[in-house]
Amino acid sequence: MSILNIVPGQLTLADLRRVSRETGLQLQLDPSSHAAIDASAATVARVLSEGRTVYGINTGFGLLASTKIAPEELELLQRSIVLSHAAGIGAPMDASTVRLVMALKINSLARGFSGIRRQVIEALVTLFNRQIYPVIPQKGSVGASGDLAPLSHMSAVLIGEGEAFVDGVRVPGAVAMRSAGLEPITLAPKEGLALLNGTQASSAFALEGLFAAEDLYVSATVAGSLSVEAALGSRTPFDARIHEVRGHQGQIDAARLYRDLLAHSQIEQSHEDCGKVQDPYSLRCQPQVMGACLTQIRQAAAVLRVEANSVSDNPLVFAGDNDILSGGNFHAEPVAFAADNLALAIAEIGSLSERRMALLIDSNLSKLPPFLVNNGGVNSGFMIAQVTSAALASENKSLAHPASVDSLPTSANQEDHVSMATFAGRRLRDMAGNTAGILAVELLAACQGIDFRAPNKTSDKLETAKGMLREQVSFYDKDRYFAPDIEKAAALVASGRFNGLVDGEVLPSL
């Protein structure tokens, strides 16, 4: 059994990749968190006993913040906010996303600034460990005042409402709680708001986009290196001296990855004296373009690591000062910007790949058989596979439009500027799927081209990569039903199997 010990505020990106990808992972809350959690909950009780009026604890919410709630209705207040805010729509989040949402919320609440009892946090841990995942609709959050609708659907299960998946079966929340050996929880003052306020849904979507972008980045570097070999491209553009004088660290690191993958190749030796002066940009400028993508991925990763460990509900409880402060940490603008930057990187990774693949099927540029198949005319080869790549790359251009520049006021203009971070993160999955398809077509084409260069072989690492593909898809000797080949190659890209071929320190969560 694999266990992740959560020391609040200290989750790494590698930890969060495990949460997303490892189905059987178990969480445990480090005992060092207990004192802060308990002190925070005690502060809420003390403030109430002093008769103080505090937003969200004994007042209404949003525009109703000036409405004082009677003491006998405080428990009803917390239950009501969960039920009324569970207004999401659309298909349920995948289990991997829900695991991230739950782990991020546990980590945030356990920091001890949310005024929530330990037993509520431990109930979330129990649901996670029993693989009981709340049904959380994907749509309905604007990424400010927290991811209210998604987190309300998560929280509804704790009070015996809503729905959850138990062993893959969708059941009522009360049944899910019993399946976990738990009784529905009666929420104390502040607890409902603590649960449903925060950026955890936006962050979960964005983190999944980050992990996909990293896998795509490695696959694209491998595919691009294979294309250099298939097209008998020059090694000069990857020379370290070129990149050192420009100075961008992402570009420097990208060039190093290409040099490492391309080292000691028979194909390279076969055309050392070919006299070619320059290659097209899609081959020659890979370190510059992919280096810029790497910089965006790293910047997004840095923001998301901070956000994953942040306290983003409202109001916040500062037990040491006996104070409760209302602010705006729930505004997910940092997440929205990070997701938009990831969208740029994912789109450009795919755009460059499509251009390399188009080069390979053009015999005037690649000096390979037209459309990478023998007996052209009878066989169309990779002709329409490139059209598919072009369609996917074009779709990504539309999806890459920044979501963060949009805002619609909500809550009767009390919440008058929002981040749209949830959509910014959610659309990354579609974009990543598109780019995986583009890279799949390039991998097929590049390996086809390298097979035409036999008996010369590429480098050891690239031969390993080609072997991974050839385990799934054989050489394209004549026209056949093409879609399964692309599907298998795309699954290989998405699996992250190529990650072991590069220096893992280059990417943040590997």
Side-chain angles (χ1 to χ4, degrees):
M1 181 185 300
S2 185
I3 297 175
L4 175 60
N5 183 57
I6 294 182
V7 179
Q10 296 185 30
L11 283 175
T12 67
L13 292 172
D15 291 335
L16 293 165
R17 184 182 265 266
R18 290 178 62 199
V19 170
S20 175
R21 301 287 176 90
E22 293 183 27
T23 303
L25 182 68
Q26 300 285 288
L27 303 182
Q28 65 180 21
L29 196 56
D30 193 88
S32 65
S33 67
H34 294 176
I37 296 170
D38 295 344
S40 179
T43 299
V44 173
R46 184 165 56 251
V47 165
L48 284 172
S49 70
E50 295 170 354
R52 290 158 60 182
T53 300
V54 182
Y55 170 74
I57 295 178
N58 53 8
T59 74
F61 307 103
L63 198 64
L64 303 175
S66 59
T67 303
K68 184 74 179 290
I69 307 299
E72 64 271 16
E73 292 186 311
L74 294 183
E75 289 182 354
L76 177 61
L77 174 69
Q78 298 303 311
R79 179 179 178 84
S80 295
I81 190 176
V82 172
L83 296 176
S84 66
H85 286 44
I89 194 169
M93 292 181 186
D94 288 354
S96 62
T97 313
V98 176
R99 285 198 298 273
L100 276 171
V101 172
M102 296 173 77
L104 291 168
K105 178 54 78 173
I106 290 163
N107 185 47
S108 180
L109 295 175
R111 289 279 305 276
F113 296 97
S114 301
I116 192 168
R117 292 167 296 164
R118 201 192 320 164
Q119 73 180 78
V120 183
I121 304 173
E122 293 286 4
L124 275 176
V125 173
T126 298
L127 290 175
F128 184 103
N129 290 344
R130 299 288 179 87
Q131 298 177 40
I132 296 174
Y133 304 131
V135 174
I136 305 177
Q138 293 186 21
K139 300 180 181 181
S141 174
V142 296
S145 204
D147 289 316
L148 296 171
L151 293 174
S152 293
H153 282 276
M154 179 199 75
S155 305
V157 176
L158 292 172
I159 63 174
E161 299 285 351
E163 294 179 296
F165 288 106
V166 179
D167 296 326
V169 178
R170 192 166 174 166
V171 302
V175 174
M177 289 292 280
R178 287 197 299 271
S179 298
L182 300 170
E183 291 297 321
I185 293 172
T186 299
L187 297 174
K190 175 67 170 72
E191 290 183 337
L193 192 56
L195 284 164
L196 61 87
N197 224 208
T199 64
Q200 287 76 36
S202 296
S203 296
F205 280 131
L207 283 164
E208 289 205 307
L210 169 67
F211 304 145
E214 291 177 320
D215 294 340
L216 293 170
Y217 185 89
V218 175
S219 294
T221 305
V222 170
S225 298
L226 287 164
S227 290
V228 168
E229 289 284 76
L232 302 182
S234 171
R235 298 302 198 277
T236 301
F238 307 103
D239 190 299
R241 293 168 291 182
I242 293 173
H243 309 288
E244 290 288 346
V245 298
R246 194 176 197 188
H248 293 298
Q249 192 60 50
Q251 180 178 325
I252 291 167
D253 291 340
R256 176 167 57 83
L257 293 182
Y258 285 105
R259 288 196 304 274
D260 183 59
L261 287 169
L262 289 162
H264 310 302
S265 160
Q266 292 177 0
I267 293 177
E268 177 194 14
Q269 295 167 6
S270 73
H271 66 97
E272 284 181 331
D273 301 318
C274 68
K276 184 189 291 187
V277 178
Q278 285 188 334
D279 293 318
Y281 286 1
S282 60
L283 298 182
R284 185 179 9 141
C285 295
Q286 287 186 81
Q288 288 79 10
V289 177
M290 293 296 285
C293 291
L294 181 57
T295 297
Q296 293 301 315
I297 291 170
R298 286 171 168 173
Q299 171 61 20
V303 171
L304 294 176
R305 183 190 60 78
V306 172
E307 190 67 20
N309 288 293
S310 71
V311 182
S312 56
D313 62 291
N314 184 63
L316 299 178
V317 180
F318 295 90
D321 303 322
N322 194 33
D323 214 350
I324 301 178
L325 304 179
S326 183
N329 279 1
F330 48 67
H331 200 296
E333 195 81 343
V335 179
F337 279 11
D340 282 346
N341 287 336
L342 285 171
L344 294 176
I346 291 170
E348 280 299 276
I349 289 169
S351 178
L352 190 64
S353 172
E354 185 277 329
R355 288 293 81 202
R356 291 191 300 262
M357 189 271 166
L359 180 156
L360 293 177
I361 63 173
D362 184 341
S363 59
N364 293 316
L365 292 172
S366 67
K367 309 306 178 186
L368 291 164
F371 301 109
L372 298 172
V373 69
N374 289 317
N375 197 17
V378 172
N379 294 309
S380 295
F382 283 68
M383 180 188 297
I384 304 305
Q386 186 268 327
V387 174
T388 296
S389 290
L392 296 173
S394 181
E395 184 175 312
N396 271 355
K397 292 175 186 177
S398 296
L399 288 171
H401 184 280
S404 58
V405 299
D406 186 28
S407 176
L408 280 174
T410 61
S411 193
N413 282 310
Q414 174 76 1
E415 297 155 6
D416 57 352
H417 183 276
V418 298
S419 71
M420 299 301 178
T422 325
F423 170 66
R426 177 166 54 83
R427 65 52 149 98
L428 296 177
R429 174 169 291 189
D430 287 342
M431 295 187 69
N434 288 342
T435 297
I438 297 168
L439 290 171
V441 172
E442 184 190 3
L443 282 166
L444 291 166
C447 289
Q448 184 84 355
I450 286 174
D451 282 340
F452 278 120
R453 302 300 182 192
N456 292 318
K457 293 185 177 182
T458 183
S459 69
D460 289 344
K461 286 189 175 181
L462 293 180
E463 283 292 334
T464 297
K466 185 164 81 75
M468 291 180 188
L469 181 73
R470 286 289 176 247
E471 288 172 4
Q472 306 294 323
V473 182
S474 62
F475 177 77
Y476 195 92
D477 58 342
K478 60 183 179 182
D479 280 352
R480 63 181 184 235
Y481 189 40
F482 210 143
D485 291 1
I486 300 174
E487 184 177 343
K488 290 173 183 176
L492 179 60
V493 169
S495 72
R497 284 185 63 195
F498 291 131
N499 293 349
L501 296 175
V502 303
D503 176 8
E505 296 297 319
V506 170
L507 291 161
S509 83
L510 298 184

